[in-house]
Each structure stands twice: as C-alpha cells, then as structure tokens.
Amino acid sequence: MLKMGKLTDYATVIMNFLAQNPGEVHAASELANVVGISAQTALKVLKTLSKAGLLQSQRGTKGGYQLTRPAQHISMADILQAMEGPIGLTECGSSPGACVRESQCSVKTNWQRISQAVHEALAKVSLADMAAPPSQPIYFVKSAPDLTHAAVSA
Amino acid sequence: MLKMGKLTDYATVIMNFLAQNPGEVHAASELANVVGISAQTALKVLKTLSKAGLLQSQRGTKGGYQLTRPAQHISMADILQAMEGPIGLTECGSSPGACVRESQCSVKTNWQRISQAVHEALAKVSLADMAAPPSQPIYFVKSAPDLTHAAVSA
DNA sequence: TATATAGTGGACTATTATAGTCCCATATAT
DNA sequence: ATATATGGGACTATAATAGTCCACTATATA
Ligand code: FES
Ligand code: FES
C-alpha cells in the first residue's frame, strides 16, 4: 500500500493544527486532544518533529510547541522525512550494500530516480497548502526538458 | 522511509528480467536464482503477480511464467499495486472510516491528492523504461493547467 | 498411462517493524 | 519551592511482513 506510519499521520494533523494557529504555543496534552491520541504518543511525535527542527519547544509551565518557520516554508517532504527518515522506496536506495547483486542491477538506478520524483512531489506541497482547501491539482510531466527550470523553481 | 516491501522489490527485479527475455517461459526456480531468493519465496511473488494479471503462467513440465503484455504497457504502478494493494500514503485514503474525525479533517483530502500524484508518477514509468538505462529525468510540475492533456496522455 | 515437473491455494510460523507506554532528568513560570 | 511541561531513552505490546510448508491440479513426455 506504500503507506506511511500512523505516527507520521498524527504528525501531519498536529502540524496542520499548529499552522492554523501561528504564533501560539500549544502543550502536548492539548495537541494530543486535537488528534485524539494519548499525551504520551503525541509527545513522542512532538519530540521527533522538534529534533528535526520543524518545531520549537518551550519547557515549564505555559510551555509547549510552535512552528519554527512559517507554514509556507515547511513541506510535506520535510515532515515525512522527519518522521520516517530519508525518502526511498527501495532498500537499495537509502542503504547501499543491502543488495548482493547491486553492481549488476539495472533496476536500482531507476528506482532511485522514481524515489527522487516522489520526493519532489512531496516537496512541492507546503503545510500552508495542506491547511488551505484543495484547489490546484498536482500535475505530472514526463520528459519535458524545456520546462525544467520552471518546474524546479515554480 | 516510505518504503515498499521486500517482496515488491523482488517483483520488480523478476519483472525486469522477464521484460528482457520476451516470449520466453521461465520457471520459478530459475527466476528465484536470478533474484537470489528461495524458490518458495519467488513462487509467492509470482503467484501474486499472476493473480493480478501481469504474468501468464504455464503448468507442468517446461512450464513457467511470462509477461501477459509487452513491457511498454506495464507500469511500475501496476507492479506496486499488484504487490501492495491500492496506493495510498494514509490510512484514511484507502479505507474510509478509519479515522474518527474524518468529516472535519482538512488534511485528508490533500493527502489523497498527494497519493494520486505519487500514483501518477509511478504510472508514467513503464517496465521497458526500467529495463533501459536511465536517460530522461522525471520532471514534476505544479499547477500547469495548459499542459494537462499532454501530461496525462504522454 | 505412469511419472516427473511445475504452478495453485491457502495456512502457518518466524521475524521484523511499528506503536504505544513508562521512567527519570531538565527546564521554567508562578 | 512547587507545579507544570518538555527531553531522552528504554521497554513492551502489537501488527505487518517475510518466509516456509503442505495438499492439490495441470501438463509434457517417456
Ligand atoms: S534490487 Fe537491490 S540493487 Fe537491485
Ligand atoms: S487523519 Fe484521518 S481523516 Fe484526517
């Protein structure tokens, strides 16, 4: 199913909530309530996001979490990467040496390219996009060399 | 890591091999050898691919497997879907009702769109593309309405 | 027709990855 | 001081996956 973990799912909902309440500090217990999970589990997610630099934490009474940067500058790829490590569909892609016949494998390179494409797809969607209602579909173009710069920078 | 299962990895290598030897029938034991796994495990993969309609099987002596259609008409999405079910990054996307606050969740719809984008990325790459050495990178374009038809049909 | 070969279907078990929980330490507002 | 809240890590329960096994069916050929 090519699915991401539950914790990552929680993470996106939490990040989404924080994006909709910018500048405010929210405690783990509150965020747990938003998602509908235990405080402990929320804490686990928040710690991970915090260590990845996506969240800024404040300890003590009236402490909590907030986004380190504006939602426009946080991508889905950032969140996914923070929660599940580097994006790579195959074992070979992220950990070299995993496959025995790595040298003679024609499949490997192409999978890396596909992983890269998926990564870019996720990088194009910001947290702000998520918080807003869906409008523009995400289009895919294969082999359109003269659009390269526009595509990458757009 | 957003990774697919090992069996799916095996599947791609097997499909790749069969694509490079079109019209020939290859036994499970032989294919197992190609990938470097046990015959039993290969059989498991082959059964799945066969049931999904991607492979044609022949029983008895001199039996084995071959592609049902030319490699150009088999996409990575086909293989991935055959091995892991419908592509969907979130739980909500593929199984409605999984999430309690589904109705009020702004995240859900956007994830479905992203999943769709990923699916299209995989659908654009054929087995023939995989077998060939990598040449054209896969480009991603966000919001390019006037390219829609070209993108979808290309 | 007998026999060896090879796929089919499903169940089972081992392994691995994930999710969830817990404990103790540290920081901070009141 | 103390109540509140995060930080880091270990631990356990659970779930998903991978791998194996068995009884059955189909087919080529001797
Ligand atoms: S499948 Fe691992 S290197 Fe090709
Ligand atoms: S996270 Fe499940 S519907 Fe939003």
Side-chain angles (χ1 to χ4, degrees), chain A residues 9 13, chain B residues 92 99 101-102 105 107-108:
Chain A
D9 209 338
V13 178
Chain B
C92 335
C99 198
R101 25 181 55 73
E102 201 170 345
C105 186
V107 176
K108 188 188 160 193

Side-chain angles (χ1 to χ4, degrees), chain B residues 42-84:
Chain B
L43 231 7
K44 186 171 200 172
V45 173
L46 291 163
K47 282 182 212 170
T48 307
L49 292 171
S50 202
K51 262 197 282 190
L54 299 180
L55 290 183
Q56 192 174 6
S57 68
Q58 184 170 346
R59 301 224 247 194
T61 313
K62 293 194 177 173
Y65 299 88
Q66 61 183 318
L67 302 182
T68 49
R69 336 166 216 152
Q72 290 87 347
H73 299 134
I74 299 177
S75 73
M76 285 299 111
D78 291 332
I79 299 174
L80 224 135
Q81 208 154 337
M83 295 303 297
E84 322 214 340

Side-chain angles (χ1 to χ4, degrees), chain B residues 5-7 10 38 40-41 44 58-62:
Chain B
K6 280 190 193 178
L7 297 184
Y10 303 158
S38 83
Q40 292 288 353
T41 303
K44 186 171 200 172
Q58 184 170 346
R59 301 224 247 194
T61 313
K62 293 194 177 173

Side-chain angles (χ1 to χ4, degrees), chain B residues 26-43:
Chain B
H26 297 272
S29 58
E30 184 195 350
L31 296 168
N33 216 46
V34 168
V35 187
I37 55 177
S38 83
Q40 292 288 353
T41 303
L43 231 7

Side-chain angles (χ1 to χ4, degrees), chain A residues 92 99 101-102 105 107-108, chain B residues 9 13:
Chain A
C92 335
C99 198
R101 27 182 52 71
E102 203 170 341
C105 186
V107 176
K108 188 187 160 193
Chain B
D9 208 338
V13 178

